[in-house]
Structure formats: structure tokens, C-alpha cells
Amino acid sequence: MRPRDTRRPVPAPALGRRAFLAGGLAAAGTALAGCGPADTVLSGRQRLRQWNLFTGGDGARMVEMHDAYRKQHPGIDFQPSTFQWGNPYYTKFAMGAAGGRAFDIATLHVSRLRGLGVDTLIAPVPTDLLARHGITRDTVQHSTWDKCTIGGELYAIPLDTHLVVTYFNRDACEKAGVLDADGNLVDTSGEEEFLDVCAAVKEATGKYGVVMDTTHAWRQFWSLYRQLGGEFKLEGELGIDDDKALRALDFLRRISQSGLAPEASDGAATPANFQNGIAGLMISGNWELPTLKDAGMDFGMRAFPDIFGAELGQGDSHCFVLPVRREPDEDAVAAAVEYAAWMLKNSLTWAGGGHTPAYLPVTRSPEYAALEPQSGYRKAAANVQFDPQAWFSGSAAQLQAQASAVFTGVHTGAVTPETALRRFKHAAQKLIDTPAPV
């Protein structure tokens, strides 16, 4: 199905009465943008306003890419804005999109598309225009492109894949005897083989075998649950396979309560524990790569371990989206689409931060193959396990927060897997019963 013309006038977005955006939201969004003159009147250049949520190492790489974009596009008055990651950004995004004048293109997580109002706040991408710049489903990771497609229309342009992977300290793992002839972590299959590796590494470090972020336990849980073939239904009555969920939670209990992993390790402590040699393995997002590289560690990376039959890991994708416009602006849409295509084609720079580019000519290039340790887990991007679809699901959304709050206790031993599952199911059902805000 060919996407409809997103540049024609559309009615103002209609938001639900329970929306956190309710009450003067459109006015707030308009105020954000101001009431300045037309884009090209003063500068003679096409204005392009871009919003993103990248700080830290990701932010530095984004600035580097934007500097290169500016040099190659002197006719574009490029105006990027960076906001705080997570809910602050998504609240501001919704306000700006509702106002209709805040940005021309913005960055989102693919997992948040459905919850942020496709056709209400987010417009379909003109795929014919995108194709003119060489970006089609054939040139992008298929699994990610398909997640950006809703009802046969493309609503986002995927930039990357980021997911939970396995890091290994080569010194500790060599001492433990768990490296292969190429200096990579040995393959494991099943619970016992992985736990045996963790035990050997624990003996080498004298403290722990593996460390993971217990305050974001959803990531490990969803990876394990999906390896077991588990599915969620997040509408009407919650659908979940209790047996598979309990098996995944019991693995988290077992690895922490046996002393192979710390019972408690938050987002900041986890890479620090790995860097300090407290554990020789780390299960975490590939976004920690720059921090460890800057520390001068000798480490490698590979996919999330095969615990229950496959190396599947929870993850997401950063993508670019276009706002629904009250008035058509063909030039702004054309500039936004060309910008997104340029970013995909130049995403080798972005790969330096650990994310796997969605644009296949980059990931299949000799330059990407030479990146270490990025190339060690590039195949995992094809099997990334996105969060289940619901308005309250996805990165920085309520389902992750509710799950992690409960599942953390399984690591510490404060609750049993059975109790944790019961509490999570209650919290998830309350979210299901809450009307969507957009």
C-alpha cells in the first residue's frame, strides 16, 4: 500500500480526555515554537528543526554527525535540539507534536510508536520520496523496518538497533579457561553450560562471575521469556504464559542467590563492577561500549547467551519520525526525509557508540567488519526482541518500570518468582484497564 500524501492539511490532533497532555496542550506546543517569520524569509535557507534525546557518548556522536551534515548542506538552516532522555523527552515530544510547529523531524524509540499517536501526532513517511534517496525495505534491517510499519504504512525510519548483549573481560576469561582459540567467549547452550562458565569466571575473579543491572530486570526477563517462546497479550485480559514466566524468573533468582552474580547492581554500578574486575562477564546494553573503551579495557562482546534455546536479547531501535502537519509544507518534509536518509548512510560514525546501524550497506561494509568489538554481535540485531506492543510498553514506558520494580526483588531474594509474577500481572492488568492518553 502506498502511503498517503502526508503534506496535505489535516485536522488538529484529537487527544483523549485522560491524556497527560490534556488542557491547552496545543497552545503549549505552539508556544514552544514561537511565532517567528517564515522559514526562508530571513536566511534564504530551508529551516530544518530536529529534536533528539541523545546525551553522553551518543550525544557526542550525534553532534559529530550533525557537524558533517551541516558542512554538506549549506542550503539548510539546521536547528537540532537535545532534551532529557526518557519521560521528559516523550512528554515534550507529545506537546510539540500536538502544537504542530515544534519540529520537522524527531527521534523516537520504535517501541513507543503506537503509544505516541500514529496519525494523531506522527505522520506516515512518504516512502516514494525516501526511496529516491536509496532507502527502502531492501536496504534496511527487515525486522526493524517491519516494526516501523503499521497498517501497511511506514511511520518511522529506523536508524539502528540496540539490545542487551554479553560483555566479557578477556583477562579474566582467559584465566578462567573460557575463551576459544580466537580469544572469544566460548559458545554455551542451556542453563547449566552458562552457569558453569559463570562459576569458572567467578573463581578467576574471586568475587562474581557475571554482573547485570538488577534495577532494570525487565531486560533480562523479556530476553529469557522470549527464548522460551513466551508471548504477551496486552489488551482486554492480560495474556501471559505463567510457566515460561516463572522459569525465566527462577533463572534470575538462581544466578543471584547462588552467588554467581550480585544480588543488587544498578545502572551505574553495573559497568563499574565489570570495569573494576569484580565480575568477568556483564549482561547489559550495547550502549555501554564507549565507556569501557574509554577506560582502556580489553574486552569482547557477543549476543545475549543461549539459556533456553536461542541467543535472543531484548532491545529496541532509534528511529526518525515526521509530525502530523496542520498546513502542508512540502519543502520541510523533503528536507526532513533527505536528512534521515543522510544519517542512515553515514551511520558508521553512529556505530562507534555500540548501536548496530539499520542501514545494511553499512553493516555489510569492510569498515564495519573491522570495528571491534561491534562486529562480534552484529548478527544479533536481526533477532532483537522488541517489547510487546501497547501504549504503555517500550523504552522508558510504564510496563518496563512496573516489571523492573517487582522483578528486582527476585534477584535480592526479597520475593519468590511466584510472588513477583503475581504482582507483575496485577500491575500489568491495571495498565491494560487504563485508557490510552493519545
Side-chain angles (χ1 to χ4, degrees), residues 20-249:
F20 65 97
L21 313 169
L25 186 55
T30 303
L32 283 172
C35 298
D39 292 351
T40 60
V41 170
L42 296 181
S43 68
R45 299 186 296 163
Q46 172 63 45
R47 183 172 64 177
L48 179 61
R49 299 160 297 182
Q50 189 263 1
W51 281 16
N52 68 81
L53 67 172
F54 298 118
T55 58
D58 284 349
R61 284 174 176 79
M62 184 62 63
V63 169
E64 180 182 351
M65 295 175 73
H66 282 171
D67 287 345
Y69 173 81
R70 281 193 185 92
K71 290 179 181 178
Q72 294 183 27
H73 297 78
I76 300 294
D77 179 16
F78 184 57
Q79 301 177 8
S81 298
T82 300
F83 302 101
Q84 184 179 347
W85 189 94
N87 283 328
Y89 174 76
Y90 284 116
T91 300
K92 199 169 190 73
F93 170 90
M95 292 175 66
R101 295 185 59 194
F103 58 83
D104 300 303
I105 188 166
T107 308
L108 290 184
H109 288 95
V110 168
S111 62
R112 297 299 297 269
L113 269 178
R114 293 175 183 270
L116 285 168
V118 293
D119 282 331
T120 304
L121 302 180
I122 299 171
V125 175
T127 52
D128 55 345
L129 182 56
L130 188 62
R132 287 181 218 162
H133 296 290
I135 307 299
T136 66
R137 185 176 184 273
D138 290 337
T139 65
V140 172
Q141 182 67 248
H142 288 181
S143 57
T144 309
W145 178 280
D146 292 345
K147 282 291 181 180
C148 296
T149 303
I150 301 172
E153 294 188 293
L154 186 71
Y155 281 90
I157 305 167
L159 174 64
D160 66 26
T161 298
H162 49 282
L163 72 166
V164 181
V165 295
T166 307
Y167 294 74
F168 57 95
N169 181 321
R170 282 199 169 89
D171 290 339
C173 290
E174 182 179 18
K175 184 178 178 182
V178 294
L179 297 182
D180 62 21
D182 295 323
N184 295 316
L185 189 66
V186 295
D187 291 335
T188 60
S189 179
E191 292 180 72
E192 299 309 321
E193 286 189 15
F194 181 72
L195 293 175
D196 286 346
V197 166
C198 290
V201 176
K202 176 181 178 178
E203 185 174 349
T205 64
K207 190 67 175 177
Y208 296 108
V210 62
V211 64
M212 62 191 78
D213 185 355
T214 60
T215 60
H216 288 87
W218 165 262
R219 293 172 180 151
Q220 293 88 256
F221 167 79
W222 186 245
S223 301
L224 297 168
Y225 183 74
R226 293 295 297 139
Q227 286 189 11
L228 289 162
E231 300 280 355
F232 267 22
K233 181 173 77 72
L234 294 176
E235 56 183 354
E237 184 176 350
L238 171 68
I240 184 173
D241 188 316
D242 286 6
D243 290 340
K244 290 181 172 65
L246 287 172
R247 203 173 162 194
L249 290 171

Side-chain angles (χ1 to χ4, degrees), residues 262-275:
E263 293 183 1
S265 181
D266 64 23
T270 299
N273 286 337
F274 180 66
Q275 182 181 330

